[in-house]
Amino acid sequence: MSVFPENFLWGGAIAANQAEGGYLEGGKGLTTVDMIPYGDNRMPIKLGLREQVALDESEFYPSHGAIDFYHRYKEDVALLAEMGFKVFRTSIAWARIFPKGDELEPNQEGIAYYQDLFRECQKHGIEPLVTLCHFDVPMHLVNTYGSWRSREMIGFFERYARTCFEAFDGLVKYWLTFNEINILLASPFSGAGLLFKEGENKEQVKYQAAHHELVASALVTKIAHEINPANQVGCMLAGGNFYPYSCKPEDVKIALDKDRENLFFIDVQARGYYPSYAQRTFRDKGVELEIHDGDLEILKHTVDFISFSYYASRCASADMNKGNTSEANVVKSVRNPHLEASDWGWVIDPLGLRIAMNTLYDRYQKPLFLVENGLGAKDVVEANGEINDDYRIDYLRAHIKAMGEAIEDGVPLMGYTPWGCIDLVAASTGEMSKRYGFIYVDRDNKGNGTLNRSRKKSFFWYKKVIESNGEDLS
Ligand code: BG6
């Protein structure tokens, strides 16, 4: 007997900005991610340390063409269906629906595109799981309003979300508001479109932006429920617990603080109010939050489920600023000497997934949805065309086993959508060679290649996993 419930949602995940391409097609406007090049300037721009408000012709921008999902979605969805997908996570590019972000009327071409995509999923019996904002804020909103530092963003996001809930009603019932909302703190430009002025308190800007996002998230959760009570809305955390590097109380305390930094967002979205430690955090960081009348009331509209990504656990020590750190998923962590790491230095820790799931459920008592997980690795195409990605199968097998253990621990898990089910552009480095997929895409880091799709060994393996509802992991 499988430990996974009968209606368990097996599938995979991508995001518009890393897959679609067609960056100015169908009336789409420029977004933050469209301004982030491949190469040396990528990190400073992503982190908001270097401002780029216009495209530079000498740079290569991976999101502009990506894997051309914009034109090839029918072929891609058919491949996902062949694996037996029950759910497919993708995001809507805000700038396809509202190209500038502050228009009063949506772009009908953008709506038609996603209606078609979701109908295609339905045709194959695949339930879409849709993120409203996966890192890509319309650039006009950044240039004109300073993105989420401005309160006006709440209204723009509300109009955008309402348009989506109405236009895709009956096609989509699972929604996520902001992808990895906590990444705003570590990567302010790619996370929330934030740029800083000389000398200002960055913490103030980030936490004020976070407040605006949290209010916007709660508001649209309420709207989603009003438009259709069958809608289920989740928050989305870049997950993975911090382990104390040692049992030294100072290490334990810093691990607690680091976990709280991340869980702060989910505490609000899941419980409906700021956590008890928030005041102290704000005071220590010199943050004075501007909260308007009615905001705290809106925050009471909590999410239906907790979605999260899990690639790696993290580790904290009291001297973590003294070197010996790596940055998996832009979150700084001390290297854990007990764990192996991927080629990109992300530690491999399936037990950490079980720990993270138990922590989240202990804390929130809401169903969980693991919406990103996987191994970024270089694949080799053999002379006969085969791609034997056993390392990926090993990683996924171990994590699925850990999920099963957590379910047996009593944690309700709605589904599993491993990341980058089709190879796509890596968010951190912009590389194509950091691949996660069951489906190989012929494209390199500089945008060369046929874009042809082919099935990796893991494709056939995952098909079997789904068919057996997680029982056959061999
Ligand atoms: C998460 C993001 O941070 O991790 C994805 O939600 C991202 O957009 C994924 O792609 C993996 O990170 P990377 O840098 O390997 O693509």
Side-chain angles (χ1 to χ4, degrees):
M1 264 290 288
S2 171
V3 295
F4 293 91
E6 225 173 273
N7 56 355
F8 191 76
L9 292 165
W10 294 98
I14 65 165
N17 77 81
Q18 289 162 263
E20 287 178 2
Y23 82 115
L24 291 179
E25 285 184 64
K28 179 179 163 293
L30 275 179
T31 71
T32 44
V33 182
D34 295 328
M35 314 304 292
I36 305 178
Y38 171 67
D40 291 348
N41 291 328
R42 186 174 182 85
M43 268 304 157
I45 294 175
K46 254 176 83 76
L47 303 184
L49 303 172
R50 181 188 161 134
E51 189 164 327
Q52 187 167 8
V53 288
L55 292 174
D56 177 344
E57 267 177 33
S58 63
E59 297 274 24
F60 171 65
Y61 295 94
S63 74
H64 294 190
I67 59 153
D68 195 33
F69 181 78
Y70 184 68
H71 296 109
R72 293 167 194 246
Y73 63 93
K74 289 200 174 152
E75 179 195 344
D76 289 340
V77 171
L79 282 165
L80 304 179
E82 195 182 318
M83 273 186 282
F85 272 36
K86 313 216 178 301
V87 64
F88 172 48
R89 175 179 178 228
T90 188
S91 66
I92 294 175
W94 186 346
R96 284 200 193 284
I97 310 295
F98 287 95
K100 289 163 74 182
D102 59 358
E103 300 92 334
L104 295 179
E105 296 302 327
N107 169 31
Q108 292 303 331
E109 222 178 318
I111 291 180
Y113 169 70
Y114 289 108
Q115 277 172 339
D116 229 56
L117 167 61
F118 301 144
R119 277 196 199 111
E120 199 60 26
C121 293
Q122 258 196 355
K123 197 173 98 189
H124 289 284
I126 298 175
E127 195 72 60
L129 164 61
V130 175
T131 316
L132 286 166
C133 187
H134 193 119
F135 297 155
D136 47 356
V137 177
M139 259 324 268
H140 172 78
L141 297 181
V142 175
N143 294 334
T144 315
Y145 304 92
S147 189
W148 284 100
R149 65 164 66 224
S150 160
R151 198 177 164 88
E152 282 180 274
M153 290 292 277
I154 299 172
F156 302 141
F157 189 73
E158 179 190 354
R159 187 178 305 134
Y160 160 58
R162 183 186 291 282
T163 303
C164 292
F165 298 145
E166 284 170 354
F168 310 125
D169 191 32
L171 291 170
V172 178
K173 69 167 188 247
Y174 295 109
W175 298 93
L176 306 179
T177 53
F178 294 98
N179 180 62
E180 295 189 334
I181 188 164
N182 49 315
I183 289 298
L184 174 162
L185 297 178
S187 185
F189 182 69
S190 74
L194 297 177
L195 293 166
F196 302 100
K197 295 173 191 136
E198 198 61 36
E200 71 183 338
N201 177 359
K202 289 186 179 177
E203 299 296 332
Q204 170 69 33
V205 177
K206 289 194 274 186
Y207 278 98
Q208 189 62 53
H211 178 69
H212 295 149
E213 284 199 1
L214 290 168
V215 171
S217 176
L219 186 59
V220 308
T221 301
K222 172 173 175 277
I223 293 169
H225 292 147
E226 283 164 3
I227 289 177
N228 190 339
N231 276 330
Q232 290 195 48
V233 186
C235 52
M236 202 309 199
L237 164 81
N241 291 25
F242 271 95
Y243 301 154
Y245 188 73
S246 76
C247 51
K248 212 164 67 179
E250 287 78 7
D251 286 356
V252 177
K253 171 67 168 60
I254 191 124
L256 171 72
D257 292 348
K258 291 272 159 200
D259 274 340
R260 280 179 164 178
E261 236 170 64
N262 292 309
L263 294 173
F264 163 84
F265 295 84
I266 311 305
D267 282 351
V268 179
Q269 290 175 298
R271 295 169 172 161
Y273 52 87
Y274 277 103
S276 47
Y277 57 86
Q279 282 316 322
R280 174 78 195 257
T281 305
F282 296 152
R283 199 174 74 213
D284 289 352
K285 293 178 186 290
V287 170
E288 280 179 42
L289 219 55
E290 190 185 310
I291 298 181
H292 283 209
D293 287 351
D295 284 2
L296 299 181
E297 207 44 42
I298 293 170
L299 291 181
K300 291 183 183 157
H301 297 280
T302 57
V303 290
D304 301 301
F305 62 94
I306 314 290
S307 87
F308 66 109
S309 60
Y310 178 85
Y311 294 92
S313 55
R314 299 153 178 164
C315 189
S317 89
D319 350 285
M320 72 188 291
N321 292 320
K322 295 186 188 150
N324 190 26
T325 58
S326 66
E327 277 179 30
N329 232 351
V330 300
V331 177
K332 207 185 231 185
S333 164
V334 174
R335 183 75 170 77
N336 185 329
H338 306 289
L339 298 170
E340 298 288 315
S342 80
D343 289 347
W344 278 264
W346 298 24
V347 293
I348 299 173
D349 181 14
L351 182 54
L353 172 59
R354 180 175 173 190
I355 295 169
M357 288 176 64
N358 276 280
T359 307
L360 289 173
Y361 192 62
D362 282 356
R363 195 163 176 126
Y364 304 120
Q365 270 103 56
K366 293 203 185 226
L368 305 186
F369 206 138
L370 179 49
V371 297
E372 283 186 37
N373 169 241
L375 179 72
K378 287 195 175 119
D379 290 330
V380 177
V381 184
E382 313 278 351
N384 62 4
E386 282 179 11
I387 299 149
N388 292 307
D389 55 342
D390 294 279
Y391 36 89
R392 183 166 295 109
I393 295 173
D394 290 346
Y395 177 101
L396 294 171
R397 181 190 293 118
H399 285 76
I400 293 173
K401 278 189 187 158
M403 269 158 45
E405 293 289 346
I407 290 173
E408 292 208 282
D409 292 337
V411 178
L413 183 67
M414 296 164 69
Y416 178 53
T417 57
W419 178 248
C421 47
I422 316 171
D423 291 344
L424 38 60
V425 175
S428 52
T429 59
E431 292 164 295
M432 266 306 301
S433 56
K434 190 181 186 192
R435 296 172 183 274
Y436 287 87
F438 305 112
I439 299 164
Y440 185 87
V441 176
D442 178 27
R443 187 162 167 95
D444 70 13
N445 290 346
K446 291 288 181 65
N448 307 303
T450 60
L451 287 167
N452 284 346
R453 280 46 175 163
S454 44
R455 297 165 184 79
K456 302 183 194 176
K457 186 172 178 185
S458 57
F459 181 102
F460 304 101
W461 173 81
Y462 193 46
K463 184 173 190 297
K464 233 174 28 177
V465 171
I466 299 178
E467 249 163 31
S468 66
N469 198 25
E471 221 175 327
D472 185 356
L473 300 176
S474 62

